[in-house]
Amino acid sequence: MERVINFAAGPAAMPLPVLQEIEKDLVNYKGTGLSVMEMSHRSKMYEAIINEAREDLKNILNLNDGYDILFLQGGASLQFAMVPLNLANEGDLAYYAVTGNFANKAWEEAKKWLNAIDLTNSMEDKFNYIPEIPVDKIDSSARYLHITANNTIFGTMYDKVPEVPVPLVADVSSNILGKNYDYRKFALAYAGAQKNLGPAGLTIVIIDKRYLKENENKYVPTMLRYDIHSKNNSLYNTPPTFGIYVAGLTFKWVKSMGGVAELEKRNIEKANMLYDILDHSDFYIPFAKKESRSIMNVTFNLKTEELEAKFVEEAKAKGMINLKGHRVLGGIRASIYNAISIDEVQKLAEFMEIFEKNYR
Amino acid sequence: MERVINFAAGPAAMPLPVLQEIEKDLVNYKGTGLSVMEMSHRSKMYEAIINEAREDLKNILNLNDGYDILFLQGGASLQFAMVPLNLANEGDLAYYAVTGNFANKAWEEAKKWLNAIDLTNSMEDKFNYIPEIPVDKIDSSARYLHITANNTIFGTMYDKVPEVPVPLVADVSSNILGKNYDYRKFALAYAGAQKNLGPAGLTIVIIDKRYLKENENKYVPTMLRYDIHSKNNSLYNTPPTFGIYVAGLTFKWVKSMGGVAELEKRNIEKANMLYDILDHSDFYIPFAKKESRSIMNVTFNLKTEELEAKFVEEAKAKGMINLKGHRVLGGIRASIYNAISIDEVQKLAEFMEIFEKNYR
């Protein structure tokens, strides 16, 4: 079988040139006589790989030496604990903008240690929009405000980084390198790699060094301390070496595509191809409110679950897989991260038009 | 350059057939049209991979349904925290057999929450042996005794699983699948994958289900709870999917080699080739005491640091890399995990004899 078009929400499609480069060097990396997977993380050849990945990402995101990049493990889910355990002390005030399932999980986790308040919460509307941040309600003594930049399940996204009077923390798992934010506005941003960066098992943390002071919470596990990982250049223990290598190749690919600004343009074009169909049809029912729409995950329903199942099945027969919505929401979801091309989205759009003609 | 002989302590050499299989399926896994790295962790094709890996490991280790296998992240270093946070309550008594650098780190971490006592400690002798466990000193109210089955840096190993009147917890990172223990004697055993199992970033936990009760420590991060991961078949969040796939291939390779008993025989043969040279020479100085010697990491010194540097350099010129000892200990270390063949150790042995002739 040829390569499929993979609309999965994560782990997700990766750029083919990146996969081909991995394949080429899999058994013998650039004539060194071994696989990247076999390299000691303290060898010079591996240090070149991790250092280049770090510098490339800082470069892509326009970050100066005031920022550090950490290569960690545990996914966004572990960050739900690490953020409160590092940026606050027990009982401190912190805000959460609860705009989706994972935002809610982040908030629930923080409540274990902090006075964590949901400053906004769109749960009652099934998370179909991003509420505006009520800046005047913010107590400036709060340690931070946590947002989920893109809500993968619901297909909503912050179009701009909110301006707030407290440090801003963002889960950027599903739109890092796909949406062109000014990362200097974040005190901390984190992302699981498996959507736009590389394989699952690598987590990237971007942190303004002013928030990197020594962790005084003596009960925090060593592996959950940002200060420890930063001091050791993400080599406190063995990091996910192969995932970092793949992420590094992806950063090179992002550069070759013209950087995040160019990819964002392409992503807007891709998303609009689908939203245009949703907006000019009563056959497809868009889920997210217009002003909150994601350019990474496009969510919609059909009139019946049977029709949705048929849609997923017929698309699959045409080589377009993983279009079923998340179990929390149901319906259809097309995740169109950086690795998905305009042509591939065009194929989905054409399929949607034919499917509508056949079943309206 | 041809493939080198890689004596690294971890990340370490992997079996060539495993690497070749990964290479073959890298871009398009068995005709499915996508890479394993791109598979949704909730897809049927990925579930087949993780379930087969779990069953194969249980099978290899002779474990019945009373045991669970968890595929986690964070390395042994995160287990240093997870063990006390899951198997005990704050202030409880737990024992540590401190037989090396990582054993000591595990003990230090546990002291954050528990009354953790070093039941044995060979630090004064630079960890050059494994002290016997003083069973009569054990208070049976202790939650567990933690041992480090193989001390990678120092080249020492428990030849037998100690019999103790409290639950036994073992860090088996550097001899799992290389040394044939009876795993039913452990309440819990854990291993970072990067020595005998696969790429760094995957951690395997083998747990007797009787120790899997609901975690009542409400301040424990969700991602650090064994009960949560077990209930969700290691799919609570996105696991390190590619690492699990590679570990699964390694389990198949272990089976094809005749299982752990056969590999242990081969490892003993390999280790003895090197120990024989050390024991019949006054040019090489073995580090570990005879009765505590590891079959995975062989450590020794030469008379001067200059000679050691020359040894490492000349070996490298002959395609044998990563023979320099760990920075904590210095000297020479040859790590000869499962993936290193008898022929490859033979080459090192021959080199050692020639080097001795040239520089004695």
Side-chain angles (χ1 to χ4, degrees):
Chain A
M1 192 188 197
E2 292 291 295
R3 293 256 308 158
V4 294
I5 306 178
N6 180 10
F7 292 105
M14 287 169 56
L16 185 57
V18 169
L19 289 172
Q20 286 167 333
E21 175 103 9
I22 300 167
E23 180 188 38
K24 179 165 70 73
D25 284 338
L26 202 280
V27 175
N28 189 339
Y29 175 77
K30 299 195 188 304
T32 54
L34 69 171
S35 174
V36 173
M37 279 184 262
E38 302 175 297
M39 285 182 191
S40 166
H41 57 301
R42 306 213 184 270
S43 64
K44 276 184 192 150
M45 59 180 107
Y46 189 73
E47 277 186 4
I49 290 173
I50 188 171
N51 290 338
E52 202 167 328
R54 189 187 295 110
E55 287 313 305
D56 278 343
L57 183 57
K58 282 174 73 170
N59 189 260
I60 288 169
L61 296 178
N62 288 314
L63 297 174
N64 61 24
D65 287 341
Y67 283 80
D68 199 2
I69 307 277
L70 308 178
F71 296 106
L72 306 180
Q73 302 181 52
S77 296
L78 189 56
Q79 293 308 308
F80 298 167
M82 285 178 73
V83 165
L85 287 172
N86 283 275
L87 299 190
N89 291 309
E90 201 169 333
D92 281 352
L93 173 66
Y95 294 115
Y96 280 74
V98 181
T99 55
N101 205 46
F102 289 103
N104 191 55
K105 280 191 174 183
W107 179 41
E108 290 294 337
E109 189 77 2
K111 283 194 235 172
K112 288 183 175 177
W113 308 282
L114 307 188
N115 175 23
I117 305 285
D118 55 336
L119 187 66
T120 64
N121 196 325
S122 51
M123 191 185 271
E124 280 194 5
D125 296 290
K126 288 188 184 161
F127 298 126
N128 70 349
Y129 76 110
I130 305 261
E132 200 153 335
I133 307 279
V135 177
D136 53 324
K137 278 198 194 159
I138 293 178
D139 179 338
S140 63
S141 76
R143 290 306 189 116
Y144 61 84
L145 163 64
H146 178 283
I147 65 168
T148 307
N150 185 83
N151 299 279
T152 323
I153 296 176
F154 305 95
T156 63
M157 181 182 82
Y158 284 85
D159 187 48
K160 287 204 170 63
V161 179
E163 300 282 349
V164 291
V166 292
L168 188 62
V169 173
D171 178 351
V172 293
S173 293
S174 51
N175 68 3
I176 187 169
L177 305 191
K179 166 75 186 168
N180 196 23
Y181 291 135
D182 181 353
Y183 272 74
R184 290 165 298 191
K185 292 188 173 171
F186 299 122
L188 188 151
Y190 62 85
Q194 65 269 19
K195 295 161 199 290
N196 266 323
L197 305 176
L202 168 65
T203 313
I204 286 182
V205 170
I206 298 152
I207 186 165
D208 180 332
K209 287 182 182 169
R210 289 174 296 175
Y211 298 96
L212 254 180
K213 62 183 182 309
E214 190 165 350
N215 193 320
E216 288 157 3
N217 300 339
K218 68 187 261 268
Y219 293 106
V220 177
T222 307
M223 280 292 290
L224 269 51
R225 287 174 54 176
Y226 294 131
D227 58 334
I228 296 279
H229 290 293
S230 176
K231 255 182 226 158
N232 290 280
N233 293 317
S234 300
L235 294 165
Y236 170 72
N237 71 333
T238 317
T241 50
F242 188 73
I244 294 167
Y245 155 68
V246 175
L249 294 180
T250 308
F251 302 155
K252 300 268 185 230
W253 177 81
V254 166
K255 282 179 154 186
S256 78
M257 296 293 285
V260 182
E262 282 305 311
L263 285 169
E264 182 188 46
K265 268 188 217 164
R266 205 173 76 130
N267 290 332
I268 291 169
E269 188 181 337
K270 281 150 55 185
N272 284 343
M273 283 163 68
L274 302 180
Y275 287 126
D276 279 352
I277 294 177
L278 301 184
D279 288 339
H280 293 93
S281 154
D282 55 0
F283 182 76
Y284 295 112
I285 307 144
F287 175 76
K289 286 193 186 170
K290 257 187 188 177
E291 62 281 10
S292 300
R293 283 174 174 173
S294 168
I295 58 171
M296 303 272 90
N297 315 93
V298 177
T299 49
F300 57 94
N301 286 85
L302 280 81
K303 300 239 161 82
T304 66
E305 279 184 27
E306 290 69 33
L307 210 50
E308 289 169 348
K310 204 179 277 291
F311 181 95
V312 169
E313 193 190 309
E314 289 197 10
K316 192 176 172 183
K318 293 193 180 305
M320 293 180 278
I321 69 168
N322 288 320
L323 283 161
K324 194 176 169 188
H326 189 278
R327 61 205 147 94
V328 166
L329 183 64
I332 308 291
R333 171 176 56 179
S335 296
I336 49 173
Y337 302 120
N338 284 342
I340 299 286
S341 69
I342 290 173
D343 281 359
E344 289 173 323
V345 176
Q346 181 66 45
K347 279 189 188 143
L348 174 59
E350 284 162 12
F351 168 76
M352 286 172 72
E353 288 178 329
I354 293 166
F355 190 85
E356 178 172 353
K357 267 184 209 150
N358 291 345
Y359 293 100
R360 75 151 58 252
Chain B
M1 193 188 199
E2 293 289 294
R3 294 255 310 159
V4 293
I5 306 179
N6 180 10
F7 292 105
M14 288 168 56
L16 186 57
V18 169
L19 288 172
Q20 286 167 334
E21 174 103 8
I22 299 168
E23 180 188 39
K24 180 167 70 71
D25 284 338
L26 202 281
V27 175
N28 189 340
Y29 176 77
K30 299 193 188 304
T32 54
L34 69 171
S35 174
V36 173
M37 278 184 263
E38 303 176 296
M39 285 182 191
S40 166
H41 57 301
R42 308 215 182 267
S43 64
K44 276 184 191 149
M45 60 181 106
Y46 189 74
E47 277 186 3
I49 290 173
I50 189 172
N51 289 339
E52 202 166 328
R54 189 187 295 109
E55 288 313 304
D56 278 343
L57 183 57
K58 282 174 75 171
N59 188 261
I60 288 169
L61 296 177
N62 288 314
L63 297 174
N64 61 24
D65 287 341
Y67 282 80
D68 199 1
I69 306 276
L70 307 178
F71 296 107
L72 306 180
Q73 302 182 52
S77 296
L78 189 55
Q79 293 309 309
F80 298 167
M82 286 178 73
V83 165
L85 287 172
N86 282 276
L87 298 191
N89 291 309
E90 201 169 334
D92 280 353
L93 174 65
Y95 294 115
Y96 281 75
V98 180
T99 55
N101 205 47
F102 290 103
N104 191 54
K105 281 191 174 183
W107 178 40
E108 289 295 336
E109 189 77 3
K111 283 194 235 172
K112 288 183 174 177
W113 307 282
L114 308 188
N115 175 23
I117 305 287
D118 55 335
L119 187 66
T120 64
N121 196 325
S122 52
M123 191 185 273
E124 280 194 5
D125 296 290
K126 289 188 183 162
F127 298 125
N128 71 348
Y129 76 110
I130 304 260
E132 201 154 334
I133 307 279
V135 177
D136 54 325
K137 278 198 194 159
I138 292 178
D139 179 338
S140 64
S141 75
R143 290 306 188 116
Y144 60 84
L145 163 64
H146 178 282
I147 65 168
T148 307
N150 185 83
N151 298 279
T152 323
I153 296 176
F154 305 94
T156 62
M157 182 183 83
Y158 284 84
D159 188 49
K160 287 203 172 64
V161 179
E163 301 282 349
V164 291
V166 293
L168 188 62
V169 173
D171 177 351
V172 292
S173 293
S174 51
N175 68 2
I176 186 170
L177 305 192
K179 166 76 186 167
N180 195 23
Y181 290 135
D182 181 353
Y183 272 74
R184 290 164 297 190
K185 292 189 172 170
F186 300 122
L188 187 151
Y190 62 85
Q194 65 269 21
K195 296 161 198 291
N196 267 322
L197 305 176
L202 167 65
T203 312
I204 286 182
V205 170
I206 298 151
I207 186 166
D208 179 333
K209 287 181 182 170
R210 288 173 296 175
Y211 298 96
L212 254 181
K213 62 183 183 309
E214 188 164 351
N215 193 321
E216 288 157 1
N217 301 338
K218 68 185 260 268
Y219 293 105
V220 177
T222 307
M223 280 291 291
L224 268 52
R225 287 175 53 176
Y226 294 131
D227 58 335
I228 295 279
H229 290 292
S230 176
K231 254 182 228 161
N232 291 280
N233 292 318
S234 300
L235 294 165
Y236 169 73
N237 71 332
T238 317
T241 49
F242 187 73
I244 294 166
Y245 155 69
V246 176
L249 295 179
T250 308
F251 302 155
K252 300 268 184 230
W253 176 81
V254 166
K255 282 179 154 184
S256 78
M257 296 294 284
V260 182
E262 283 305 311
L263 284 168
E264 181 188 46
K265 269 189 217 162
R266 205 173 76 130
N267 291 331
I268 291 169
E269 188 181 338
K270 281 150 55 185
N272 284 344
M273 283 162 68
L274 301 180
Y275 287 125
D276 279 351
I277 295 177
L278 301 183
D279 288 338
H280 294 92
S281 154
D282 55 359
F283 182 76
Y284 295 112
I285 309 145
F287 175 76
K289 285 193 186 170
K290 257 186 187 177
E291 63 281 9
S292 300
R293 282 176 174 172
S294 169
I295 57 171
M296 303 271 90
N297 315 94
V298 177
T299 50
F300 56 95
N301 285 85
L302 281 82
K303 299 238 163 82
T304 66
E305 279 185 26
E306 291 68 35
L307 209 51
E308 288 169 349
K310 204 179 276 292
F311 181 95
V312 170
E313 194 190 309
E314 289 196 12
K316 191 176 173 184
K318 292 191 182 304
M320 293 179 278
I321 69 168
N322 289 319
L323 283 161
K324 195 177 168 187
H326 189 277
R327 62 207 145 95
V328 166
L329 184 64
I332 308 290
R333 171 177 55 180
S335 296
I336 49 172
Y337 302 119
N338 284 343
I340 299 286
S341 70
I342 290 174
D343 281 359
E344 289 173 324
V345 176
Q346 181 67 45
K347 278 190 189 142
L348 175 59
E350 285 163 11
F351 168 76
M352 286 172 72
E353 289 178 328
I354 293 167
F355 190 84
E356 178 172 354
K357 269 185 206 148
N358 292 344
Y359 293 99
R360 75 150 58 252

